Amino acid sequence: MSLDEGWLADADAADAEGWGLVIAWSFEEPGRVGEVAWIPDRGAVRVLGRGAEAPEGGGLRLDWMRQRPGRNVPTAPLAARRISRAQLEVEPRPSGLRVRSVGRCPMAVNGRPTDEAVVRDGDTVHLRNQLLLLVTRRPARLPAAGSWPSGSTPAFGHADPLGMVGEGPATWRLRERLGFLAPRPAHVLVIGPSGVGKELAARALHALSPRAARPLVSRNAATFPPGLIDAELFGNPRDYPNPGMRERRGLVGEADGGTLFLDEIGELPEDLQAHLLRVLDHGGEYQRLGESHARRADLRLIVATNRGLDGLKHDLAARLALRLELDGLDARRDDIPLLARHILAATAAADPAIGRRFFEGWGTPAATARVAPDLMDLLVRHRYSHHVRELHGLLWRAMSTSDGGVLKATPEVRAELDTGAADAREPDSVTADDIRAALAAADGNRTHAAAALGLKNRDVLYRLMKKLDVP
């Protein structure tokens, strides 16, 4: 085998995708949130259950691991006492995973009780009050870190030194991208929806750059007064334009040697965006109001927008050579339980009354938030429009409306949740074999079979049966 062929073989192994069952909530083992059981797209039925004993009658048992860049770290078998040794049979299908409950703990899929279902990316499997699993598409192994500094790798499931939380493939891709972009001298455009963490990404780019010891100056560009943008950006000498005016260095002067971060740059009209062009050219040249001589600033500009390139003046966009696009929570559902845990821990640290009320073992290193499984189930299936900021709000709603010491899916929280994306399955993804299996498991009851397949109702099932010629 040639060197190139060997490199390609390694890349293929890392990129091989299959199905992942990610622990989103666990009653007896909360520290295992984020661990995954990986299942190839083709293969035999596997058994999920308690302990390490081989299933009766042979077969394969699902193994658990923590995926870190370039390596999979095996973890212990499940130990939850109310989960049977053979609890679920899991079989890969062309359209998803067929899961069948064969143990004593009742199962629900996307909040609906069932004994058998075909699940896909974004669905949840809940073993009543014991274990919540999120179904995802996962590589067999995360690519090895090439640019992310090894000293910044966090303990599994915890925030890294830059404040980012997550163990899913999307989060590790983001860390790797940040590690590559940060040392580069070129200016950066960060694109992402509202509430996704663009300022956190900008802070990470600065902290990982050679400018980290110098200032990071931040401003929301939407707050610039239209007639004063030059004064805000470039400053003015003392007594200009009026006697008694104090000297201002301006944002550009304050960021000299460091980084200037302008958030929501797309909210700035294009004619005002043009004021930035000269300082990005000509070696950072700019001129204070009221001064006849030019100054220079050595700075790196990072701008962020939720509008994409359409919100930027074309010649400003052309000067932002490096681009970083941030995923919303819909692409990071496997990280939502870890983000929720982090948000709740930070909230409790700032407000000990929250910790005493909602945390088991409050005041010890093992303190764990008491979150009802149906709340976590809904949070991981919710369709987010404001992402991490919205998750903050939902958790606050749960804290403020839950009685007792457990965070619950109260009516006030449910009123703000939208799980339609996971609940309504696309009919085109269902095969004739899936329908036959669901009907057999439901003893011919088409309503129950439609629910097990994740279809909206039995009418959708009728149409599919006719289309696929299933009697």
Side-chain angles (χ1 to χ4, degrees):
M1 180 184 293
S2 70
L3 179 61
D4 286 345
E5 288 171 337
W7 177 84
L8 289 171
D10 288 343
D12 288 344
D15 292 341
E17 277 217 345
W19 294 100
L21 294 177
V22 181
I23 298 177
W25 179 93
S26 173
F27 178 69
E28 292 196 29
E29 301 177 281
R32 302 190 63 165
V33 169
E35 293 184 12
V36 60
W38 190 81
I39 304 134
D41 281 335
R42 294 180 178 83
V45 175
R46 286 167 165 77
V47 174
L48 179 151
R50 171 173 50 87
E53 295 179 10
E56 292 184 12
L60 300 173
R61 177 171 289 278
L62 283 179
D63 294 320
W64 298 92
M65 61 184 175
R66 294 179 171 182
Q67 286 192 315
R68 308 313 299 271
R71 62 195 177 100
N72 292 332
V73 182
T75 55
L78 296 177
R81 290 163 292 178
R82 294 187 181 180
I83 292 178
S84 300
R85 295 186 183 279
Q87 180 62 56
L88 296 181
E89 290 181 350
V90 181
E91 180 184 9
R93 292 288 185 87
S95 57
L97 282 179
R98 171 182 168 269
V99 292
R100 187 166 76 94
S101 180
V102 295
R104 64 190 177 195
C105 192
M107 179 178 76
V109 171
N110 294 336
R112 300 188 186 101
T114 184
D115 291 327
E116 183 171 348
V118 177
V119 294
R120 59 172 186 160
D121 191 18
D123 288 338
T124 57
V125 179
H126 179 201
L127 300 177
R128 184 188 294 172
N129 296 330
Q130 295 301 307
L131 188 69
L132 179 67
L133 303 171
L134 175 68
V135 182
T136 68
R137 294 292 295 170
R138 276 266 178 151
R141 184 177 72 246
L142 298 179
S147 300
W148 180 255
S150 59
S152 295
T153 298
F156 186 85
H158 293 269
D160 62 37
L162 303 174
M164 290 182 294
V165 177
E167 296 292 345
T171 301
W172 278 108
R173 283 195 300 270
L174 171 60
R175 289 187 175 112
E176 183 66 14
R177 185 85 173 129
L178 288 167
F180 175 81
L181 295 178
R184 315 276 88 81
H187 307 300
V188 185
L189 170 63
V190 180
I191 300 173
S194 177
V196 80
K198 296 186 288 296
E199 183 171 358
L200 182 63
R203 292 184 179 279
L205 286 168
H206 176 73
L208 293 172
S209 77
R211 300 173 180 269
R214 301 291 296 166
L216 169 66
V217 179
S218 301
R219 178 71 179 269
N220 189 317
T223 66
F224 284 133
L228 298 176
I229 186 170
D230 283 340
E232 297 277 350
L233 283 172
F234 308 124
N236 56 266
R238 185 177 179 182
D239 295 327
Y240 184 89
N242 300 309
M245 285 287 290
R246 63 180 178 85
E247 179 183 11
R248 289 197 298 182
R249 296 182 64 195
L251 296 173
V252 169
E254 291 173 9
D256 188 18
T259 303
L260 175 59
F261 172 55
L262 297 179
D263 199 3
E264 304 299 349
I265 191 69
E267 302 301 319
L268 199 64
E270 286 194 1
D271 60 323
L272 299 183
Q273 293 179 27
H275 292 233
L276 290 164
L277 299 181
R278 185 169 183 80
V279 75
L280 298 182
D281 295 331
H282 308 293
E285 185 177 286
Y286 71 102
Q287 194 168 332
R288 282 184 179 181
L289 295 179
E291 290 185 346
S292 59
H293 62 279
R295 294 174 177 262
R296 292 187 183 275
D298 171 24
L299 61 83
R300 186 191 200 188
L301 179 67
I302 301 174
V303 301
T305 180
N306 59 13
R307 294 189 173 193
L309 290 176
D310 292 342
L312 295 186
K313 185 175 173 61
H314 67 89
D315 41 4
L316 174 59
R319 288 163 170 80
L320 302 168
L322 301 178
R323 310 280 167 82
L324 177 66
E325 295 192 25
L326 302 183
D327 291 317
L329 283 188
D330 289 347
R332 298 177 53 202
R333 294 190 183 278
D334 39 9
D335 286 335
I336 290 173
L338 296 174
L339 282 165
R341 184 175 73 182
H342 177 73
I343 291 168
L344 291 171
T347 302
D351 186 347
I354 295 289
R356 287 191 293 270
R357 179 175 174 185
F358 291 115
F359 276 69
E360 189 77 29
W362 175 247
T364 71
T368 304
R370 291 187 289 262
V371 179
D374 60 335
L375 174 59
M376 189 59 69
D377 191 349
L378 292 168
L379 289 175
V380 297
R381 289 190 287 121
H382 175 57
R383 292 191 288 193
Y384 289 84
S385 57
H386 290 85
H387 307 282
V388 179
R389 187 180 300 134
E390 186 176 356
L391 179 60
H392 270 269
L394 290 167
L395 289 169
W396 266 112
R397 219 86 70 244
M399 285 185 278
S400 63
T401 59
S402 296
D403 54 9
V406 178
L407 291 168
K408 301 173 184 175
T410 63
E412 293 85 353
V413 174
R414 289 178 182 272
E416 299 191 30
L417 290 167
D418 176 7
T419 58
D423 288 346
R425 182 172 180 182
E426 293 295 331
D428 288 346
S429 69
V430 178
T431 67
D433 285 345
D434 292 338
I435 293 173
R436 294 187 187 99
L439 287 169
D443 292 326
N445 185 309
R446 294 181 180 183
T447 299
H448 293 169
L453 289 167
L455 299 174
K456 188 174 181 180
N457 52 48
R458 67 178 183 177
D459 292 334
V460 177
L461 178 59
Y462 288 148
R463 290 195 292 272
L464 277 175
M465 292 174 66
K466 184 175 180 180
K467 176 183 176 181
L468 298 174
D469 195 24
V470 177

